[in-house]
Amino acid sequence: MTLAVIFDNFFKSSGGLQFVARWLHVLSGIAWIGLLYFFNFVQTPAYAELTPGARNEAFDKLTWRALWWFRWAAMATFLMGFAMLGIYSSDSSDYITKYTGPSILTGILFGVTMLGNVWMVIWPNQQIVIASVRKQLAGGEADPAQPGAAKKGARASRANTFFSITMLWFMVFTSHFAGRYADANNELNNVAIYYVIVLALWAFVEANALGLIGGLDSPFNKLVFDDHKKTIIYGFVYWAVIFFVGWEVILKAS
Ligand code: HEM
């Protein structure tokens, strides 16, 4: 039976465990990012058009359920990705030191930031919003902290949408295209310079999204995160800068 080969070298890079983890990683990844795009492209503009009563009902019944799938899909994506990383890097240190390293570590930098934004910013702030909404549905007053919490969650959610474009590029790039940029020893040039530039670009956007540079309404946040269409456009610009400057100019070995 051909499927039995899944048990050959089960725990190795070429084995079945990495393959099953890869499958579950992408499956949970589409559940996570699918809901992220639903929140940003469908729910937010639709809720802006609902009456306050209808919006509160929808938060209570729809958003609450969606957030369960959203945060646990994010956790499952991370755990399966982490399992793959463990298998590859314990099998061979080349995975991080050769051309695959800068590619997957760039993807993981954005993926792990997105996970942190889900669990440490979006979810706690949405709990404040939904608790306040439920108080209102029961005839009480809104929590004065609700608008501030909604804004914090919204900025982190837009940052995740923005990062997702670059994140997914490097997830798929690692096994399918990054090798074309390497030399005969599977190595790249100027790796340290590349990491410094990527970290600076990452820190700038995440610090803005958290309100650490000029507050939640900083000029960058208003320009890039207020309108979801602009988030998509600037998300592609950001990917282009990281990819073309990073890979075509800095890392490319030949
Ligand atoms: C949260 C942290 C994440 C970690 C630690 C992680 C880790 C990894 C690793 C180690 C790989 C294997 C790369 C290789 O082929 O050598 C990978 C591939 C991949 N990841 Fe992630 N990932 C994360 C988030 C995500 C997210 C959010 C998505 C969204 C869909 C995603 C989608 C993918 C895809 C599509 C692949 C490529 C599968 C293939 O080429 O066969 N990852 N990831």
Side-chain angles (χ1 to χ4, degrees):
M1 204 168 83
T2 315
L3 191 60
V5 297
I6 212 159
F7 297 108
D8 292 349
N9 301 316
F10 191 66
F11 295 101
K12 297 278 180 194
S13 296
S14 56
L17 185 61
Q18 69 80 26
F19 179 70
V20 171
R22 188 175 288 264
W23 170 52
L24 294 175
H25 180 65
V26 179
L27 199 59
S28 43
I30 59 174
W32 172 13
I33 306 303
L35 283 167
L36 174 73
Y37 291 168
F38 165 77
F39 286 137
N40 277 272
F41 308 153
V42 181
Q43 176 177 293
T44 303
Y47 280 16
E49 291 177 8
L50 291 181
T51 60
R55 187 165 53 239
N56 285 349
E57 285 265 0
F59 261 116
D60 180 31
K61 298 286 183 303
L62 187 150
T63 308
W64 184 252
R65 284 191 171 89
L67 280 168
W68 188 91
W69 288 96
F70 178 68
R71 67 183 184 279
W72 290 111
M75 186 58 79
T77 307
F78 167 70
L79 291 175
M80 293 299 119
F82 196 70
M84 272 191 286
L85 184 67
I87 294 166
Y88 291 132
S89 46
S90 64
D91 211 14
S92 148
S93 59
D94 284 359
Y95 188 65
I96 296 300
T97 55
K98 303 271 169 154
Y99 72 85
T100 35
S103 179
I104 199 59
L105 291 179
T106 308
I108 290 175
L109 173 70
F110 291 111
V112 169
T113 305
M114 291 165 63
L115 178 85
N117 284 340
V118 168
W119 278 92
M120 291 155 73
V121 186
I122 298 171
W123 174 230
N125 282 294
Q126 284 287 12
Q127 283 175 284
I128 295 172
V129 171
I130 291 173
S132 167
V133 156
R134 286 181 172 162
K135 247 171 84 185
Q136 291 167 69
L137 287 169
E141 290 289 306
D143 179 348
Q146 183 184 337
K151 184 72 163 248
K152 277 188 204 150
R155 288 306 193 213
S157 186
R158 283 287 148 90
N160 279 8
T161 304
F162 178 89
F163 285 146
S164 69
I165 295 166
T166 307
M167 179 278 300
L168 193 59
W169 170 274
F170 287 104
M171 289 290 155
V172 293
F173 187 64
T174 306
S175 276
H176 303 287
F177 217 73
R180 312 246 178 130
Y181 288 77
D183 64 15
N185 296 320
N186 282 334
E187 278 163 4
L188 297 161
N189 283 324
N190 307 316
V191 173
I193 299 174
Y194 171 79
Y195 282 130
V196 169
I197 291 174
V198 170
L199 280 172
L201 287 167
W202 159 81
F204 176 75
V205 176
E206 181 63 10
N208 262 287
L210 296 176
L212 302 175
I213 303 180
L216 290 170
D217 278 326
S218 70
F220 177 87
N221 284 349
K222 290 192 77 60
L223 176 70
V224 176
F225 297 146
D226 270 358
D227 169 8
H228 66 273
K229 295 188 193 89
K230 287 194 182 163
T231 307
I232 300 172
I233 293 167
Y234 285 113
F236 276 101
V237 172
Y238 189 71
W239 157 79
V241 171
I242 291 184
F243 180 63
F244 287 103
V245 175
W247 286 75
E248 290 288 339
V249 179
I250 297 173
L251 289 173
K252 202 171 175 180
S254 56

mmCIF file of all heavy atoms in Angstrom, residues 47-86:
data_model
loop_
_atom_site.group_PDB
_atom_site.id
_atom_site.type_symbol
_atom_site.label_atom_id
_atom_site.label_comp_id
_atom_site.label_asym_id
_atom_site.label_seq_id
_atom_site.Cartn_x
_atom_site.Cartn_y
_atom_site.Cartn_z
ATOM 1 N N TYR A 47 -21.093 46.083 9.712
ATOM 2 C CA TYR A 47 -21.554 46.531 11.028
ATOM 3 C C TYR A 47 -21.719 48.055 11.065
ATOM 4 O O TYR A 47 -22.569 48.567 11.788
ATOM 5 C CB TYR A 47 -20.577 46.091 12.135
ATOM 6 C CG TYR A 47 -20.729 44.634 12.576
ATOM 7 C CD1 TYR A 47 -21.438 43.716 11.804
ATOM 8 C CD2 TYR A 47 -20.179 44.193 13.774
ATOM 9 C CE1 TYR A 47 -21.561 42.388 12.201
ATOM 10 C CE2 TYR A 47 -20.302 42.860 14.181
ATOM 11 C CZ TYR A 47 -20.985 41.963 13.388
ATOM 12 O OH TYR A 47 -21.100 40.657 13.790
ATOM 13 N N ALA A 48 -20.879 48.772 10.288
ATOM 14 C CA ALA A 48 -20.987 50.240 10.261
ATOM 15 C C ALA A 48 -22.347 50.674 9.703
ATOM 16 O O ALA A 48 -22.812 51.778 9.989
ATOM 17 C CB ALA A 48 -19.850 50.829 9.426
ATOM 18 N N GLU A 49 -22.980 49.788 8.920
ATOM 19 C CA GLU A 49 -24.284 50.142 8.333
ATOM 20 C C GLU A 49 -25.466 49.621 9.140
ATOM 21 O O GLU A 49 -26.612 49.926 8.829
ATOM 22 C CB GLU A 49 -24.370 49.584 6.898
ATOM 23 C CG GLU A 49 -23.425 50.300 5.949
ATOM 24 C CD GLU A 49 -23.446 49.707 4.547
ATOM 25 O OE1 GLU A 49 -24.297 48.846 4.271
ATOM 26 O OE2 GLU A 49 -22.591 50.116 3.750
ATOM 27 N N LEU A 50 -25.206 48.781 10.164
ATOM 28 C CA LEU A 50 -26.307 48.240 10.968
ATOM 29 C C LEU A 50 -26.780 49.255 12.011
ATOM 30 O O LEU A 50 -25.995 50.114 12.437
ATOM 31 C CB LEU A 50 -25.870 46.957 11.692
ATOM 32 C CG LEU A 50 -25.610 45.696 10.861
ATOM 33 C CD1 LEU A 50 -25.206 44.541 11.784
ATOM 34 C CD2 LEU A 50 -26.825 45.295 10.046
ATOM 35 N N THR A 51 -28.029 49.115 12.458
ATOM 36 C CA THR A 51 -28.484 49.936 13.594
ATOM 37 C C THR A 51 -27.750 49.442 14.848
ATOM 38 O O THR A 51 -27.347 48.273 14.898
ATOM 39 C CB THR A 51 -29.999 49.755 13.822
ATOM 40 O OG1 THR A 51 -30.234 48.374 14.104
ATOM 41 C CG2 THR A 51 -30.813 50.185 12.605
ATOM 42 N N PRO A 52 -27.592 50.309 15.882
ATOM 43 C CA PRO A 52 -26.863 49.866 17.090
ATOM 44 C C PRO A 52 -27.450 48.586 17.686
ATOM 45 O O PRO A 52 -26.706 47.695 18.099
ATOM 46 C CB PRO A 52 -27.007 51.047 18.044
ATOM 47 C CG PRO A 52 -27.235 52.235 17.151
ATOM 48 C CD PRO A 52 -27.965 51.743 15.946
ATOM 49 N N GLY A 53 -28.764 48.437 17.696
ATOM 50 C CA GLY A 53 -29.383 47.237 18.285
ATOM 51 C C GLY A 53 -29.008 45.985 17.499
ATOM 52 O O GLY A 53 -28.629 44.958 18.080
ATOM 53 N N ALA A 54 -29.108 46.082 16.174
ATOM 54 C CA ALA A 54 -28.786 44.927 15.329
ATOM 55 C C ALA A 54 -27.298 44.588 15.453
ATOM 56 O O ALA A 54 -26.912 43.412 15.481
ATOM 57 C CB ALA A 54 -29.155 45.233 13.874
ATOM 58 N N ARG A 55 -26.472 45.628 15.541
ATOM 59 C CA ARG A 55 -25.023 45.403 15.646
ATOM 60 C C ARG A 55 -24.687 44.687 16.961
ATOM 61 O O ARG A 55 -23.895 43.750 16.985
ATOM 62 C CB ARG A 55 -24.296 46.753 15.569
ATOM 63 C CG ARG A 55 -22.789 46.601 15.488
ATOM 64 C CD ARG A 55 -22.099 47.873 15.059
ATOM 65 N NE ARG A 55 -22.447 49.021 15.861
ATOM 66 C CZ ARG A 55 -23.001 50.135 15.399
ATOM 67 N NH1 ARG A 55 -23.275 50.276 14.112
ATOM 68 N NH2 ARG A 55 -23.294 51.140 16.196
ATOM 69 N N ASN A 56 -25.353 45.124 18.046
ATOM 70 C CA ASN A 56 -25.103 44.464 19.333
ATOM 71 C C ASN A 56 -25.510 42.994 19.293
ATOM 72 O O ASN A 56 -24.809 42.127 19.808
ATOM 73 C CB ASN A 56 -25.846 45.202 20.453
ATOM 74 C CG ASN A 56 -25.142 46.512 20.819
ATOM 75 O OD1 ASN A 56 -24.013 46.753 20.378
ATOM 76 N ND2 ASN A 56 -25.804 47.343 21.602
ATOM 77 N N GLU A 57 -26.649 42.710 18.681
ATOM 78 C CA GLU A 57 -27.096 41.308 18.528
ATOM 79 C C GLU A 57 -26.065 40.509 17.738
ATOM 80 O O GLU A 57 -25.744 39.373 18.079
ATOM 81 C CB GLU A 57 -28.429 41.258 17.747
ATOM 82 C CG GLU A 57 -29.630 41.680 18.540
ATOM 83 C CD GLU A 57 -30.347 40.489 19.159
ATOM 84 O OE1 GLU A 57 -29.892 39.350 18.959
ATOM 85 O OE2 GLU A 57 -31.354 40.716 19.857
ATOM 86 N N ALA A 58 -25.567 41.113 16.666
ATOM 87 C CA ALA A 58 -24.616 40.406 15.799
ATOM 88 C C ALA A 58 -23.297 40.151 16.529
ATOM 89 O O ALA A 58 -22.707 39.074 16.406
ATOM 90 C CB ALA A 58 -24.382 41.202 14.518
ATOM 91 N N PHE A 59 -22.839 41.139 17.310
ATOM 92 C CA PHE A 59 -21.615 40.928 18.112
ATOM 93 C C PHE A 59 -21.803 39.731 19.047
ATOM 94 O O PHE A 59 -20.923 38.865 19.155
ATOM 95 C CB PHE A 59 -21.313 42.171 18.971
ATOM 96 C CG PHE A 59 -20.275 43.072 18.378
ATOM 97 C CD1 PHE A 59 -20.593 44.368 17.983
ATOM 98 C CD2 PHE A 59 -18.967 42.639 18.224
ATOM 99 C CE1 PHE A 59 -19.634 45.202 17.432
ATOM 100 C CE2 PHE A 59 -18.000 43.470 17.681
ATOM 101 C CZ PHE A 59 -18.341 44.758 17.275
ATOM 102 N N ASP A 60 -22.962 39.702 19.695
ATOM 103 C CA ASP A 60 -23.237 38.674 20.701
ATOM 104 C C ASP A 60 -23.329 37.283 20.065
ATOM 105 O O ASP A 60 -22.778 36.315 20.589
ATOM 106 C CB ASP A 60 -24.554 39.048 21.400
ATOM 107 C CG ASP A 60 -24.941 38.041 22.464
ATOM 108 O OD1 ASP A 60 -24.041 37.440 23.066
ATOM 109 O OD2 ASP A 60 -26.154 37.848 22.686
ATOM 110 N N LYS A 61 -24.012 37.197 18.917
ATOM 111 C CA LYS A 61 -24.282 35.873 18.340
ATOM 112 C C LYS A 61 -23.262 35.459 17.276
ATOM 113 O O LYS A 61 -22.911 34.294 17.161
ATOM 114 C CB LYS A 61 -25.694 35.850 17.706
ATOM 115 C CG LYS A 61 -26.824 36.099 18.681
ATOM 116 C CD LYS A 61 -27.044 34.875 19.571
ATOM 117 C CE LYS A 61 -28.201 35.011 20.539
ATOM 118 N NZ LYS A 61 -28.154 36.136 21.454
ATOM 119 N N LEU A 62 -22.822 36.413 16.446
ATOM 120 C CA LEU A 62 -21.954 36.055 15.311
ATOM 121 C C LEU A 62 -20.464 36.246 15.633
ATOM 122 O O LEU A 62 -19.684 35.293 15.566
ATOM 123 C CB LEU A 62 -22.361 36.891 14.093
ATOM 124 C CG LEU A 62 -21.701 36.549 12.763
ATOM 125 C CD1 LEU A 62 -22.643 36.866 11.606
ATOM 126 C CD2 LEU A 62 -20.392 37.279 12.518
ATOM 127 N N THR A 63 -20.094 37.454 16.034
ATOM 128 C CA THR A 63 -18.673 37.747 16.261
ATOM 129 C C THR A 63 -18.100 36.845 17.353
ATOM 130 O O THR A 63 -16.985 36.338 17.243
ATOM 131 C CB THR A 63 -18.489 39.225 16.647
ATOM 132 O OG1 THR A 63 -19.136 40.020 15.665
ATOM 133 C CG2 THR A 63 -17.016 39.623 16.721
ATOM 134 N N TRP A 64 -18.902 36.640 18.394
ATOM 135 C CA TRP A 64 -18.449 35.806 19.511
ATOM 136 C C TRP A 64 -18.056 34.416 19.032
ATOM 137 O O TRP A 64 -17.001 33.890 19.374
ATOM 138 C CB TRP A 64 -19.591 35.736 20.541
ATOM 139 C CG TRP A 64 -19.221 34.989 21.774
ATOM 140 C CD1 TRP A 64 -19.665 33.756 22.143
ATOM 141 C CD2 TRP A 64 -18.323 35.418 22.797
ATOM 142 N NE1 TRP A 64 -19.098 33.386 23.336
ATOM 143 C CE2 TRP A 64 -18.271 34.393 23.763
ATOM 144 C CE3 TRP A 64 -17.553 36.568 22.996
ATOM 145 C CZ2 TRP A 64 -17.480 34.480 24.906
ATOM 146 C CZ3 TRP A 64 -16.768 36.648 24.135
ATOM 147 C CH2 TRP A 64 -16.733 35.626 25.067
ATOM 148 N N ARG A 65 -18.936 33.802 18.211
ATOM 149 C CA ARG A 65 -18.637 32.458 17.688
ATOM 150 C C ARG A 65 -17.435 32.488 16.758
ATOM 151 O O ARG A 65 -16.565 31.635 16.809
ATOM 152 C CB ARG A 65 -19.834 31.917 16.909
ATOM 153 C CG ARG A 65 -20.956 31.441 17.762
ATOM 154 C CD ARG A 65 -21.976 30.673 16.935
ATOM 155 N NE ARG A 65 -22.948 30.034 17.794
ATOM 156 C CZ ARG A 65 -24.079 30.606 18.212
ATOM 157 N NH1 ARG A 65 -24.371 31.838 17.844
ATOM 158 N NH2 ARG A 65 -24.913 29.955 18.998
ATOM 159 N N ALA A 66 -17.410 33.485 15.873
ATOM 160 C CA ALA A 66 -16.309 33.569 14.899
ATOM 161 C C ALA A 66 -14.970 33.700 15.621
ATOM 162 O O ALA A 66 -13.962 33.129 15.199
ATOM 163 C CB ALA A 66 -16.529 34.751 13.952
ATOM 164 N N LEU A 67 -14.977 34.455 16.750
ATOM 165 C CA LEU A 67 -13.718 34.662 17.479
ATOM 166 C C LEU A 67 -13.179 33.378 18.098
ATOM 167 O O LEU A 67 -11.974 33.225 18.265
ATOM 168 C CB LEU A 67 -13.906 35.725 18.577
ATOM 169 C CG LEU A 67 -13.866 37.169 18.098
ATOM 170 C CD1 LEU A 67 -14.362 38.107 19.203
ATOM 171 C CD2 LEU A 67 -12.453 37.576 17.674
ATOM 172 N N TRP A 68 -14.061 32.441 18.425
ATOM 173 C CA TRP A 68 -13.584 31.148 18.963
ATOM 174 C C TRP A 68 -12.770 30.413 17.891
ATOM 175 O O TRP A 68 -11.632 29.992 18.125
ATOM 176 C CB TRP A 68 -14.777 30.291 19.420
ATOM 177 C CG TRP A 68 -14.330 29.051 20.145
ATOM 178 C CD1 TRP A 68 -14.143 28.935 21.489
ATOM 179 C CD2 TRP A 68 -13.964 27.784 19.569
ATOM 180 N NE1 TRP A 68 -13.681 27.668 21.782
ATOM 181 C CE2 TRP A 68 -13.567 26.943 20.638
ATOM 182 C CE3 TRP A 68 -13.931 27.287 18.270
ATOM 183 C CZ2 TRP A 68 -13.146 25.627 20.421
ATOM 184 C CZ3 TRP A 68 -13.509 25.976 18.064
ATOM 185 C CH2 TRP A 68 -13.123 25.160 19.133
ATOM 186 N N TRP A 69 -13.367 30.284 16.709
ATOM 187 C CA TRP A 69 -12.670 29.601 15.607
ATOM 188 C C TRP A 69 -11.397 30.336 15.225
ATOM 189 O O TRP A 69 -10.373 29.738 14.909
ATOM 190 C CB TRP A 69 -13.604 29.474 14.386
ATOM 191 C CG TRP A 69 -14.667 28.459 14.633
ATOM 192 C CD1 TRP A 69 -15.939 28.685 15.074
ATOM 193 C CD2 TRP A 69 -14.536 27.035 14.496
ATOM 194 N NE1 TRP A 69 -16.604 27.502 15.221
ATOM 195 C CE2 TRP A 69 -15.769 26.465 14.865
ATOM 196 C CE3 TRP A 69 -13.503 26.183 14.096
ATOM 197 C CZ2 TRP A 69 -15.998 25.087 14.838
ATOM 198 C CZ3 TRP A 69 -13.732 24.814 14.074
ATOM 199 C CH2 TRP A 69 -14.958 24.281 14.441
ATOM 200 N N PHE A 70 -11.485 31.659 15.234
ATOM 201 C CA PHE A 70 -10.370 32.521 14.836
ATOM 202 C C PHE A 70 -9.151 32.286 15.731
ATOM 203 O O PHE A 70 -8.053 31.988 15.262
ATOM 204 C CB PHE A 70 -10.869 33.972 14.949
ATOM 205 C CG PHE A 70 -9.884 35.046 14.639
ATOM 206 C CD1 PHE A 70 -9.406 35.228 13.359
ATOM 207 C CD2 PHE A 70 -9.471 35.933 15.638
ATOM 208 C CE1 PHE A 70 -8.520 36.261 13.073
ATOM 209 C CE2 PHE A 70 -8.601 36.964 15.363
ATOM 210 C CZ PHE A 70 -8.120 37.115 14.073
ATOM 211 N N ARG A 71 -9.352 32.365 17.058
ATOM 212 C CA ARG A 71 -8.170 32.295 17.925
ATOM 213 C C ARG A 71 -7.622 30.882 18.025
ATOM 214 O O ARG A 71 -6.406 30.688 18.104
ATOM 215 C CB ARG A 71 -8.428 32.929 19.295
ATOM 216 C CG ARG A 71 -9.408 32.233 20.181
ATOM 217 C CD ARG A 71 -9.617 33.024 21.471
ATOM 218 N NE ARG A 71 -10.492 32.327 22.399
ATOM 219 C CZ ARG A 71 -11.813 32.328 22.332
ATOM 220 N NH1 ARG A 71 -12.421 33.006 21.373
ATOM 221 N NH2 ARG A 71 -12.541 31.675 23.205
ATOM 222 N N TRP A 72 -8.510 29.864 17.978
ATOM 223 C CA TRP A 72 -7.986 28.493 18.072
ATOM 224 C C TRP A 72 -7.380 28.037 16.754
ATOM 225 O O TRP A 72 -6.419 27.248 16.743
ATOM 226 C CB TRP A 72 -9.050 27.542 18.617
ATOM 227 C CG TRP A 72 -9.289 27.834 20.073
ATOM 228 C CD1 TRP A 72 -10.415 28.374 20.625
ATOM 229 C CD2 TRP A 72 -8.352 27.683 21.165
ATOM 230 N NE1 TRP A 72 -10.247 28.566 21.990
ATOM 231 C CE2 TRP A 72 -8.993 28.147 22.342
ATOM 232 C CE3 TRP A 72 -7.041 27.220 21.271
ATOM 233 C CZ2 TRP A 72 -8.368 28.145 23.597
ATOM 234 C CZ3 TRP A 72 -6.423 27.207 22.519
ATOM 235 C CH2 TRP A 72 -7.078 27.666 23.656
ATOM 236 N N ALA A 73 -7.908 28.537 15.637
ATOM 237 C CA ALA A 73 -7.258 28.228 14.344
ATOM 238 C C ALA A 73 -5.867 28.851 14.315
ATOM 239 O O ALA A 73 -4.910 28.250 13.816
ATOM 240 C CB ALA A 73 -8.111 28.755 13.182
ATOM 241 N N ALA A 74 -5.739 30.059 14.879
ATOM 242 C CA ALA A 74 -4.422 30.713 14.944
ATOM 243 C C ALA A 74 -3.466 29.866 15.779
ATOM 244 O O ALA A 74 -2.307 29.647 15.407
ATOM 245 C CB ALA A 74 -4.562 32.120 15.537
ATOM 246 N N MET A 75 -3.952 29.358 16.913
ATOM 247 C CA MET A 75 -3.094 28.536 17.784
ATOM 248 C C MET A 75 -2.682 27.243 17.068
ATOM 249 O O MET A 75 -1.511 26.839 17.111
ATOM 250 C CB MET A 75 -3.863 28.222 19.082
ATOM 251 C CG MET A 75 -3.047 27.510 20.112
ATOM 252 S SD MET A 75 -1.573 28.433 20.585
ATOM 253 C CE MET A 75 -2.254 29.641 21.714
ATOM 254 N N ALA A 76 -3.643 26.592 16.398
ATOM 255 C CA ALA A 76 -3.327 25.333 15.698
ATOM 256 C C ALA A 76 -2.328 25.587 14.566
ATOM 257 O O ALA A 76 -1.391 24.801 14.364
ATOM 258 C CB ALA A 76 -4.618 24.713 15.145
ATOM 259 N N THR A 77 -2.486 26.691 13.850
ATOM 260 C CA THR A 77 -1.550 27.031 12.765
ATOM 261 C C THR A 77 -0.141 27.158 13.325
ATOM 262 O O THR A 77 0.820 26.616 12.782
ATOM 263 C CB THR A 77 -1.959 28.370 12.106
ATOM 264 O OG1 THR A 77 -3.320 28.301 11.719
ATOM 265 C CG2 THR A 77 -1.090 28.685 10.898
ATOM 266 N N PHE A 78 -0.044 27.882 14.443
ATOM 267 C CA PHE A 78 1.262 28.080 15.068
ATOM 268 C C PHE A 78 1.859 26.740 15.514
ATOM 269 O O PHE A 78 3.025 26.441 15.243
ATOM 270 C CB PHE A 78 1.126 29.040 16.257
ATOM 271 C CG PHE A 78 2.342 29.050 17.131
ATOM 272 C CD1 PHE A 78 3.529 29.611 16.685
ATOM 273 C CD2 PHE A 78 2.313 28.478 18.398
ATOM 274 C CE1 PHE A 78 4.670 29.597 17.469
ATOM 275 C CE2 PHE A 78 3.452 28.463 19.191
ATOM 276 C CZ PHE A 78 4.638 29.019 18.728
ATOM 277 N N LEU A 79 1.058 25.913 16.203
ATOM 278 C CA LEU A 79 1.598 24.656 16.749
ATOM 279 C C LEU A 79 2.083 23.732 15.635
ATOM 280 O O LEU A 79 3.142 23.117 15.737
ATOM 281 C CB LEU A 79 0.546 23.960 17.620
ATOM 282 C CG LEU A 79 0.224 24.691 18.934
ATOM 283 C CD1 LEU A 79 -0.905 23.990 19.672
ATOM 284 C CD2 LEU A 79 1.463 24.811 19.830
ATOM 285 N N MET A 80 1.313 23.655 14.532
ATOM 286 C CA MET A 80 1.724 22.792 13.421
ATOM 287 C C MET A 80 2.961 23.370 12.722
ATOM 288 O O MET A 80 3.850 22.635 12.305
ATOM 289 C CB MET A 80 0.574 22.625 12.416
ATOM 290 C CG MET A 80 -0.605 21.858 12.969
ATOM 291 S SD MET A 80 -0.140 20.183 13.456
ATOM 292 C CE MET A 80 -0.500 20.212 15.185
ATOM 293 N N GLY A 81 3.007 24.683 12.603
ATOM 294 C CA GLY A 81 4.184 25.328 11.988
ATOM 295 C C GLY A 81 5.421 25.110 12.852
ATOM 296 O O GLY A 81 6.503 24.807 12.356
ATOM 297 N N PHE A 82 5.227 25.231 14.162
ATOM 298 C CA PHE A 82 6.325 25.053 15.098
ATOM 299 C C PHE A 82 6.830 23.605 15.047
ATOM 300 O O PHE A 82 8.031 23.340 15.124
ATOM 301 C CB PHE A 82 5.827 25.416 16.501
ATOM 302 C CG PHE A 82 6.918 25.636 17.491
ATOM 303 C CD1 PHE A 82 7.734 26.758 17.396
ATOM 304 C CD2 PHE A 82 7.141 24.737 18.509
ATOM 305 C CE1 PHE A 82 8.756 26.967 18.307
ATOM 306 C CE2 PHE A 82 8.156 24.937 19.432
ATOM 307 C CZ PHE A 82 8.967 26.050 19.323
ATOM 308 N N ALA A 83 5.886 22.658 14.885
ATOM 309 C CA ALA A 83 6.269 21.241 14.765
ATOM 310 C C ALA A 83 7.144 21.048 13.526
ATOM 311 O O ALA A 83 8.194 20.391 13.579
ATOM 312 C CB ALA A 83 5.018 20.366 14.679
ATOM 313 N N MET A 84 6.746 21.640 12.407
ATOM 314 C CA MET A 84 7.554 21.516 11.178
ATOM 315 C C MET A 84 8.939 22.125 11.378
ATOM 316 O O MET A 84 9.950 21.544 10.982
ATOM 317 C CB MET A 84 6.872 22.248 10.017
ATOM 318 C CG MET A 84 5.889 21.404 9.271
ATOM 319 S SD MET A 84 5.412 22.238 7.763
ATOM 320 C CE MET A 84 4.380 23.496 8.371
ATOM 321 N N LEU A 85 8.957 23.305 12.001
ATOM 322 C CA LEU A 85 10.240 23.969 12.240
ATOM 323 C C LEU A 85 11.143 23.080 13.092
ATOM 324 O O LEU A 85 12.337 22.927 12.806
ATOM 325 C CB LEU A 85 9.986 25.308 12.962
ATOM 326 C CG LEU A 85 11.201 26.178 13.204
ATOM 327 C CD1 LEU A 85 11.767 26.691 11.880
ATOM 328 C CD2 LEU A 85 10.838 27.363 14.107
ATOM 329 N N GLY A 86 10.551 22.452 14.118
ATOM 330 C CA GLY A 86 11.310 21.550 14.985
ATOM 331 C C GLY A 86 11.871 20.367 14.205
ATOM 332 O O GLY A 86 13.043 20.007 14.364
#
